[in-house]
Amino acid sequence: MYKKILLPTDGSTYATQEVKRVTNLIDDDGEIIILSVAGKLTSSAFQSRKKVRKVNERMKREAEEAVKNMVAEFDDDLNVTPMVRTGFAAETINKVASEEGVDLIVISSSGKSGLHRFILGSVTEKVLKTADVDVLLVHND
């Protein structure tokens, strides 16, 4: 059993499988941190600051919604902490794991489709390769 588990989410529909695994692995008095990482664009000569700001705001709202939806999947008697951060996904996941002293990261092998599936796959791979704690890879079809 684990005292503190980090569960990154991208808002995909695979939450149920991850929730089952985390619920079975957490100590009775343990903490589950649900994290969504919102990307952050910077303005350039090709993009206006206003447009970039709107995209960043949308990405943050989507991350907040993903966390809210994942929290709702857990029983109320569990200690669940919602968290939204901005940055590069894999680096932020590992940074939060270190800062929060988690014992385990539970992450999906895939979540979204098309280009998003490729990107999530690379995030998962990078987390697996660079994490300083145990990582449970949840296979999703």
Side-chain angles (χ1 to χ4, degrees), residues 15 19 34 65-76 80 82:
V19 169
I34 300 176
E65 188 69 21
V67 168
K68 178 181 156 193
N69 291 339
M70 180 71 84
V71 168
E73 294 288 324
F74 285 91
D75 292 336
D76 291 338
V80 179

Side-chain angles (χ1 to χ4, degrees), residues 48-64:
S48 72
R49 286 186 196 147
K50 184 178 180 181
K51 186 170 188 162
V52 168
R53 184 172 20 89
K54 284 184 179 186
V55 170
N56 286 336
E57 289 170 358
R58 189 196 60 188
M59 286 191 291
K60 185 155 187 188
R61 280 193 310 272
E62 288 173 356
E64 290 167 348

Side-chain angles (χ1 to χ4, degrees):
M1 297 299 233
Y2 293 90
K3 290 295 255 178
K4 197 177 256 194
I5 297 176
L6 178 62
L7 178 57
T9 183
D10 64 356
S12 67
T13 60
Y14 295 107
T16 304
Q17 293 176 9
E18 295 165 356
V19 169
K20 284 182 198 174
R21 283 173 181 81
V22 169
T23 301
N24 290 333
L25 294 171
I26 195 73
D27 278 344
D28 290 337
D29 61 344
E31 178 184 11
I32 301 162
I33 300 171
I34 300 176
L35 170 69
S36 187
V37 181
K40 184 170 185 179
L41 299 177
T42 55
S43 57
S44 68
F46 302 106
Q47 297 171 326
S48 72
R49 286 186 196 147
K50 184 178 180 181
K51 186 170 188 162
V52 168
R53 184 172 20 89
K54 284 184 179 186
V55 170
N56 286 336
E57 289 170 358
R58 189 196 60 188
M59 286 191 291
K60 185 155 187 188
R61 280 193 310 272
E62 288 173 356
E64 290 167 348
E65 188 69 21
V67 168
K68 178 181 156 193
N69 291 339
M70 180 71 84
V71 168
E73 294 288 324
F74 285 91
D75 292 336
D76 291 338
D77 62 336
L78 291 171
N79 181 13
V80 179
T81 303
M83 185 179 293
V84 174
R85 294 276 178 95
T86 301
F88 296 105
E91 290 87 352
T92 303
I93 291 166
N94 285 328
K95 183 178 180 184
V96 168
S98 177
E99 289 172 355
E100 296 292 329
V102 304
D103 306 306
L104 177 70
I105 299 170
V106 176
I107 193 166
S108 292
S109 61
S110 64
K112 298 186 178 183
S113 60
L115 180 60
H116 290 290
R117 182 182 178 116
F118 172 76
I119 292 169
L120 179 63
S122 64
V123 168
T124 300
E125 182 178 357
K126 190 166 187 179
V127 169
L128 284 167
K129 288 182 178 179
T130 59
D132 293 328
V133 298
D134 291 342
V135 178
L136 174 62
L137 180 62
V138 177
H139 177 72
N140 294 308
D141 299 324

